[in-house]
Amino acid sequence: MKKAVVLLGPPGSGKTSLAERLLGYLDGKIIATGPLLKDKAKEKSEEGQKVKNHLDKGELVPTELVKETIVQYLKKNGAPWLLFDGFPRHKDQIEPFFAMGERMAYRLEAVFYLELPRSVAFERITGRRVCPDCGAVYNIHDRPPSRPGVCDRCGGELIQRKDDRPEVAKERMEEFQRNTVPVITFFQREYPGKTFQVEGEKRLSRIVPSVLSILHGKKEER
Ligand code: AMP
């Protein structure tokens, strides 16, 4: 049975960076629904075009399509640890999350909720710059590249993601409040022993050891 770790938090709370960092210590795969859906939207298939329609409008993609995308990914990408970044992100996706676990042989191991004040989240999102060539991520406030606008890793020209622009960032934060906060409340209530709050404002170098000690501690308990 694979172990599923769910990362929840507002946009900008560092879920993706945390997941990437954990891969240095765990034999795992990241299931990042945002990027997976964006890839799907590039396909010419009917499914791909449907996904694209929703993404273009900034709406949540219907759960059936998200599920199908995750299953297709998991069929090709197995590992002992599965790190879910972006799913479940709506109350209606909780049941599918568990149902898929039975089908794809994973079990909920832990839920980490990265908490972050709204103002900090906003600054982090709108300050984010990415390299379209190699995928490196920077922040003009606290992790700037050595030369403004230029990727340290490959020399590419850094851009601001469309959805990181202030007006869209605000909408994404509202969407989080409306749809994802109820998911966090669900896990806190139903799985109190598996749900952990993390101070998203702390540096990753401090967050990672505490997350790992929780995950390893749970292993030793068995
Ligand atoms: P993200 O990169 O996580 O901000 O996701 C980008 C976009 O993908 C979101 O604005 C949604 O349209 C879509 N998306 C990502 N995860 C989900 C999900 N679990 N359910 C529905 N739509 C999703």
Side-chain angles (χ1 to χ4, degrees):
M1 204 60 151
K2 292 169 219 125
K3 294 170 184 173
V5 176
V6 175
L7 303 171
L8 295 169
S13 59
K15 299 183 294 290
T16 305
S17 309
L18 173 60
E20 282 168 0
R21 197 70 78 82
L22 289 174
L23 286 193
Y25 304 90
L26 302 172
D27 181 5
K29 288 281 176 202
I30 301 174
I31 297 101
T33 46
L36 284 178
L37 290 166
K38 284 175 193 163
D39 279 350
K40 184 104 206 146
K42 290 182 198 146
E43 292 174 9
K44 290 278 166 270
S45 65
E46 198 185 325
E47 229 176 44
Q49 291 312 298
K50 273 194 202 156
V51 170
K52 184 173 183 308
N53 269 335
H54 293 284
L55 288 182
D56 286 350
K57 289 189 214 146
E59 298 167 353
L60 284 187
V61 174
T63 300
E64 263 318 299
L65 288 172
V66 184
K67 248 172 67 183
E68 205 34 56
T69 307
I70 295 176
V71 167
Q72 282 171 11
Y73 178 79
L74 284 179
K75 279 187 182 159
K76 290 190 211 134
N77 297 277
W81 291 87
L82 301 177
L83 311 179
F84 283 85
D85 170 7
F87 187 87
R89 97 192 226 170
H90 188 287
K91 244 172 50 236
D92 297 348
Q93 296 182 345
I94 296 173
E95 195 275 327
F97 167 76
F98 285 105
M100 250 196 311
E102 288 185 12
R103 183 166 159 211
M104 305 308 292
Y106 66 73
R107 182 174 54 208
L108 179 68
E109 182 73 7
V111 178
F112 292 99
Y113 162 38
L114 284 88
E115 205 197 21
L116 196 70
R118 277 178 84 90
S119 56
V120 181
F122 191 74
E123 194 176 275
R124 280 198 188 170
I125 306 170
T126 53
R128 182 154 53 195
R129 298 293 181 271
V130 297
C131 175
D133 299 333
C134 75
V137 182
Y138 302 86
N139 191 291
I140 54 172
H141 304 295
D142 67 358
R143 205 161 18 120
S146 338
R147 277 191 298 151
V150 182
C151 180
D152 288 343
R153 209 199 281 170
C154 76
E157 191 181 333
L158 302 181
I159 56 159
Q160 182 175 43
R161 265 170 42 178
K162 260 195 211 142
D163 52 354
D164 286 343
R165 291 180 193 158
E167 59 288 1
V168 188
K170 196 162 156 276
E171 267 175 45
R172 288 168 63 210
M173 286 171 67
E174 276 159 18
E175 193 262 314
F176 167 79
Q177 281 297 330
R178 203 169 46 239
N179 296 319
T180 312
V181 168
V183 177
I184 295 168
T185 310
F186 166 87
F187 281 117
Q188 283 171 329
R189 193 181 62 231
E190 302 295 328
Y191 294 89
K194 291 190 175 190
T195 305
F196 304 90
Q197 193 164 316
V198 175
E199 283 178 58
E201 221 171 337
K202 284 192 183 160
R203 302 221 143 258
L204 261 188
S205 55
R206 298 199 44 207
I207 294 177
V208 170
S210 57
V211 166
L212 285 173
S213 83
I214 289 170
L215 294 176
H216 290 144
K218 291 179 83 60
K219 199 162 67 188
E220 281 152 23
E221 271 168 28
R222 293 212 181 103

